[in-house]
Amino acid sequence: MKHPIKIMQIGDGNFIRGFFDLAVEKLQVPCSIVSVAATARGKTVKLLEEQQLQFTVMERGLKNGEVVEEETTIKIIQDTIHPYENWPTFLQYAQSETLEMIVSNTTEAGIYYENIPYPTACPTSYAAKLTVFLEQYYKHFQGEKQVAIVPLELIEQNGSTLKTICLQHAKDWKLPTAFNDWLATLTFCNTLVDRIVTGYPQDYQGEDALYTVCEPYFLFIIDQKEPFKHWPTSHDFPFVFDDLDMYRKRKVAILNGSHILLSAFGKIFNYTTVREAFSHAGVRAFIEKVTNDFTQRFQVDEHYQQDVFERFLNPFIEHQLYDIQLNELSKWQTRIAPYAETEIYYQALAIGIYAMNPTRFSVRESDQIIEKLTEIHNYFEQGQSEPMQQFIEQYFQCDAAKVIQQLSTITSLLEAIACDN
């Protein structure tokens, strides 16, 4: 028996399928989903249609030290829309009596503002799409019905940011004041998602073109419970309704911070995957010192740190360090630098700067950033530390002298880490 379509999801990539769709399926939420292509390519929409709107997700990895391998067939998608090819069909859903929630995963680059005219065809921007849809929804129900907005994109305050952009579009397009007032009352949830979804595996030999692999770990933090108050709950799929700040801080520092450190060690010691680098005793010991320091200073539950380390050793996930190295400067800025107040963090930041030397290692940054990094390292190797100090103060806003002190003895630090095996 098919349930009514209560959820529209914008975006149909690996993550939303292995995170949100799987959770809805396994929790047996009494609803169906209409899946909407987020980009003009729309490849997944066509594949879904060819596969009678079904696909399989494999949860594979370690959980409490035990190997988990569990397949689930996802059957909760009931319809698809390619809005770039059929904009009116997308807007037609604004008349749905059963729609309760709009969920999105358009990647971090998907939530942005651009000043464009009122769209007469599908706009590229997700916020612009959403604003037009909500305007049509408001008109049809004359402001007497609401829908919750639940973005999954990995940006801070994703719901509040999306809401602000939608309100700006409404202002730009001079939409009625009554609509703007109604829009301001809508629930836009801020969320934090935590699960590694690697997607289609290279060793898969079946016929499901949308076969998706993810780790067993799952955590979904949401700052408002109202849209989910009637949803079933499960220990395996925890939906936590709480303030996001602590969860975000610990995830960024422990999970993402360790990732960017491992990416640096990967360059220095020639490792290619997270598991390979973390299996080096000296590297692991150093990362444990960094995360222990964070855990103690910010009084974070140690179980999260243990869960993260177990995830790093997942024998079924080949998490490439090369992928983590993309735009690495901004990652050091957000994942390590904010906590650089202790010796171990000064050492960590020094290792990051050392690994961002384009004359020694591959650096996946813009030409402008690469030129800047090359310049400061050349000066530093010639004994001129002032450009390096200015760089650290500008980009990391911490005690540059203490970072430079660690950078000056980086060779002995790396030798000690390499020998600790």
Side-chain angles (χ1 to χ4, degrees), residues 267-279:
K267 291 184 189 182
I268 296 164
F269 298 135
N270 294 315
Y271 293 124
T272 59
T273 69
V274 166
R275 185 176 69 255
E276 185 184 14
F278 193 67
S279 296

Side-chain angles (χ1 to χ4, degrees), residues 253-269:
I254 296 176
L255 176 67
N256 304 123
S258 295
H259 271 159
I260 196 61
L261 263 167
L262 286 167
S263 78
F265 285 126
K267 291 184 189 182
I268 296 164
F269 298 135

Side-chain angles (χ1 to χ4, degrees), residues 10 12 41 67 82 122 139 147 162 172 178 217 247 271 278 282 297 317 325 342 389 395 403:
I10 313 291
D12 47 22
R41 293 188 302 276
V67 173
H82 194 321
C122 184
K139 281 182 179 178
V147 61
L162 181 60
D172 293 343
Y217 184 90
Y247 293 95
Y271 293 124
F278 193 67
R297 278 197 285 150
I317 288 183
Q325 290 159 4
T342 55
Q389 179 174 335
Y395 284 90
V403 178

Side-chain angles (χ1 to χ4, degrees), residues 319-368:
H319 196 169
Q320 300 296 315
L321 295 172
Y322 180 77
D323 294 336
I324 298 171
Q325 290 159 4
L326 180 64
N327 300 324
E328 59 190 301
L329 176 57
S330 65
K331 294 173 181 176
W332 288 98
Q333 286 178 287
T334 57
R335 303 177 183 188
I336 299 294
Y339 314 112
E341 298 175 0
T342 55
E343 182 181 27
I344 190 69
Y345 262 93
Y346 293 134
Q347 289 177 344
L349 198 51
I351 288 169
I353 294 171
Y354 176 80
M356 285 189 288
N357 183 346
T359 62
R360 291 178 181 268
F361 306 105
S362 170
V363 178
R364 301 188 68 194
E365 283 287 356
S366 67
D367 292 342
Q368 184 179 3

Side-chain angles (χ1 to χ4, degrees), residues 61-69 216-217 306-311 313-316:
L62 298 176
K63 191 167 187 176
N64 300 322
E66 300 291 327
V67 173
V68 173
E69 289 189 272
Y217 184 90
Q306 295 163 8
D307 287 341
V308 166
F309 291 167
E310 184 176 62
R311 294 161 73 186
L313 296 173
N314 186 340
F316 302 106

Side-chain angles (χ1 to χ4, degrees), residues 180-199:
N180 294 2
D181 293 343
W182 173 85
L183 178 60
T185 68
L186 287 191
T187 296
F188 281 70
C189 294
N190 292 306
T191 69
L192 178 66
V193 296
D194 196 351
R195 166 169 268 196
I196 296 171
V197 180
T198 54

